[in-house]
């Protein structure tokens, strides 16, 4: 059947994705959230598109080193797609935008993600290429996209690694 979207509520035993905002002074938290919304919203007001990306071509690399191709969409957890939580997912998406894209937002990765835009690494939380606690993070990723020809088709690639019994992206992937 068609892929299911993530409908599970967040777990209460997990640290909040934006816990640092709660600890930050009010003005700093407001400025941080406002900055993200402004960058993503500025694109829309300047005639640019802000898009959430749907289906991705992906390669699942299993812990034993074997691999297979599949199609995934986000948000979703690995286990919802039948992917073992300790696997590595290499996902690729062709992106067409009106005007020049400004930023990338990946919400709530579990537990490491690296983003590449047209072959250039633009951001990372955790380290998908390594194994162990010190290479994992539950923080969201906000990355500035390098300037390029706005008429060009772009390739966005994500390298995602799960851990702690979970894997995947629990929030949307947005380009704007």
């Amino acid at each position: 059947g068609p892929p299911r979207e993530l409908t599970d509520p967040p777990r209460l035993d997990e640290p909040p994705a934006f816990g640092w905002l709660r600890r930050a002074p009010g003005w700093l938290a407001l400025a941080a959230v406002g900055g993200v919304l402004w960058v993503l919203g500025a694109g829309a007001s300047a005639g640019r598109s802000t898009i959430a990306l749907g289906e991705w071509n992906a390669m699942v690399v299993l812990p034993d080193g074997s691999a297979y191709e599949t199609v995934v969409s986000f948000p979703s957890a690995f286990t919802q797609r039948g992917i073992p939580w300790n696997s590595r997912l290499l996902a690729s998406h062709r992106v067409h935008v009106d005007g020049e894209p400004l930023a990338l937002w990946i919400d709530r990765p579990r537990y490491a993600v690296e983003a590449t835009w047209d072959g250039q690494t633009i951001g990372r939380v955790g380290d998908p290429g390594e194994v162990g606690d010190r290479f994992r993070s539950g923080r969201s990723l906000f990355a500035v996209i390098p300037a390029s020809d706005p008429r060009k088709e772009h390739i966005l690639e994500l390298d995602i690694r799960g851990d702690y019994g979970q894997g995947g992206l629990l929030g949307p992937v947005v380009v704007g």
Side-chain angles (χ1 to χ4, degrees):
R4 295 181 329 169
E5 294 299 321
L6 179 66
T7 58
D8 296 334
R11 292 178 37 186
L12 297 177
D13 61 339
E14 292 180 347
F18 298 102
W20 65 271
L21 282 175
R22 292 186 184 160
R23 293 186 302 276
W27 65 270
L28 180 59
L30 182 61
V33 171
V36 169
L37 295 175
W38 181 84
V39 168
L40 292 176
S45 65
R48 295 182 176 97
S49 299
T50 301
I51 55 175
L53 303 176
E55 291 191 337
W56 297 65
N57 294 320
M59 174 79 62
V60 176
V61 181
L62 300 170
D64 66 4
S66 62
Y68 65 91
E69 292 182 8
T70 189
V71 175
V72 297
S73 60
F74 302 114
S76 71
F78 282 3
T79 55
Q80 288 178 305
R81 305 256 177 234
I83 300 170
W85 60 267
N86 55 348
S87 297
R88 191 170 181 184
L89 182 73
L90 308 171
S92 176
H93 197 291
R94 294 183 182 281
V95 181
H96 301 273
V97 293
D98 297 329
E100 187 174 349
L102 302 173
L104 169 69
W105 175 256
I106 300 174
D107 193 20
R108 296 177 288 147
R110 292 297 182 259
Y111 273 95
V113 63
E114 181 175 275
T116 305
W117 182 263
D118 293 336
Q120 179 181 353
T121 300
I122 59 171
R124 178 173 80 185
V125 292
D127 187 345
E130 297 292 335
V131 176
D133 288 351
R134 67 188 186 118
F135 300 107
R136 300 296 171 254
S137 174
R139 293 177 289 146
S140 296
L141 173 64
F142 177 74
V144 175
I145 294 174
S148 63
D149 184 348
R151 299 165 300 210
K152 178 183 173 192
E153 176 181 77
H154 302 280
I155 304 293
L156 175 60
E157 296 171 309
L158 302 180
D159 183 350
I160 306 166
R161 164 91 44 114
D163 213 338
Y164 308 115
Q166 295 185 39
L169 302 179
L170 303 184
V173 177
V174 180
V175 173

